[in-house]
Amino acid sequence: MLNNIENIVEQVGRLNKELENQYDILKALCSDYVSIYKIDFNTGKYEIYKAESRRDNEIAEKAENINNYKALAQWYASQYVIQEDMDYFRNATAEETIMEHLSQNSNYIIRYRARGDKQEFSYFDIQYVDVSHNPGEKNVIMAFRNVDAVVRKEEEMRQNTARAHEETLKGSGIGIWLIVMEDGVKPKLYADSMMRELLGVDDDISPEDCYTWWYDRIEKDFVPQVNSYVEEILTNGRSEVNYPYNHPTKGIMYIRCGGSKSYDDVHNRIRIKGYHQDVTEIM
């Protein structure tokens, strides 16, 4: 009998130690998150597990009065998400979108911009994790994390990589450009330093004026060909064209230009990016 009691005490001790270790691990994993909710999508109800900052406490206080996930997400978007990200946020945080992603992966992360207290906006991630244990359950953890430092680091790395690419391409006489097209708005042409040199424009030219400058200096007989090139990109995703360009100081240059299309779902616009190379010497 005594041995049985000693064994039980020993097992309970091991179990308590294991639970303490698991709690320490969970606490460490949660330290980056400013607020954590557990949602039951079968009912729409949720529990608030953590609210760290003053803003998070204000949101949690409002959340206790709402106690419906869909209504909470709509209210949060209207109060805190910047206008440019509003449509994206509402779609990305909809129950249908979340459950579709979680049916394929164990977690789902979105990034958006929230109105800041001391700056124009801050970057946040929301991570959704499926914690259901039984068939038919739709229990999900929702955790908010400020990622300003992560975004700054990513931007720094992106700029360093872009500078390295630009220096390499500049040595080959290749410029990089991006055209943004959206309904009811003049096209915008963003050009790197080599592209601006090839176009013959100042560094401070606006994207709208840059597009007009480039288009107006295509040799007139080749404008239909360039238009067909753009249409082919819009239809098929990519294309390439050669045409003469009237540089303001160098005169006629022969250009090889290639590009590919992507679609910006967040801002509902088309992006065409590509290269612009001076091939006059080999024409």
Side-chain angles (χ1 to χ4, degrees), residues 9-169:
V9 170
E10 185 179 346
Q11 291 174 11
V12 170
R14 284 200 301 268
L15 180 59
N16 286 336
K17 186 65 176 177
E18 184 179 340
L19 288 173
E20 288 175 4
N21 290 337
Q22 290 179 355
Y23 175 77
D24 289 341
I25 293 171
L26 181 61
K27 186 176 180 181
L29 290 173
C30 291
S31 62
D32 283 347
Y33 293 93
V34 295
S35 57
I36 301 174
Y37 294 67
K38 182 180 179 182
I39 308 160
D40 180 353
F41 276 121
N42 282 328
T43 64
K45 305 295 184 182
Y46 49 78
E47 299 175 66
I48 303 169
Y49 283 0
K50 179 181 180 181
E52 192 170 84
S53 69
R54 176 184 59 79
R55 173 184 282 192
D56 299 314
N57 280 309
E58 290 174 357
I59 295 169
E61 184 177 335
K62 181 70 175 182
E64 287 179 349
N65 295 326
I66 296 175
N67 204 19
N68 174 272
Y69 172 79
K70 184 176 181 179
L72 175 66
Q74 294 291 332
W75 172 81
Y76 178 86
S78 68
Q79 296 296 311
Y80 295 103
V81 178
I82 69 169
Q83 187 64 41
E84 292 84 351
D85 289 358
M86 192 84 72
D87 290 342
Y88 160 75
F89 181 88
R90 284 175 170 155
N91 177 66
T93 58
E95 177 188 343
E96 297 78 10
T97 306
I98 296 166
M99 297 313 299
E100 179 181 355
H101 281 276
L102 292 180
S103 68
Q104 302 170 23
N105 300 286
S106 58
N107 69 87
Y108 165 52
I109 300 174
I110 70 165
R111 179 166 296 175
Y112 66 97
R113 292 169 293 177
R115 299 187 185 102
D117 293 329
K118 298 181 180 179
Q119 56 196 39
E120 185 179 355
F121 59 80
S122 297
Y123 287 91
F124 278 85
D125 280 359
I126 302 180
Q127 181 168 8
Y128 295 91
V129 180
D130 188 353
V131 292
S132 304
H133 295 293
N134 301 307
E137 289 183 347
K138 294 166 68 176
N139 296 323
V140 173
I141 293 292
M142 175 178 70
F144 292 74
R145 180 168 71 115
N146 180 281
V147 290
D148 284 338
V150 175
V151 171
R152 283 195 297 271
K153 187 65 176 178
E154 289 175 349
E155 179 62 18
E156 180 183 338
M157 293 175 63
R158 187 194 67 78
Q159 290 181 358
N160 290 339
T161 302
R163 279 194 292 269
H165 287 169
E166 187 172 332
E167 289 170 4
T168 301
L169 293 170

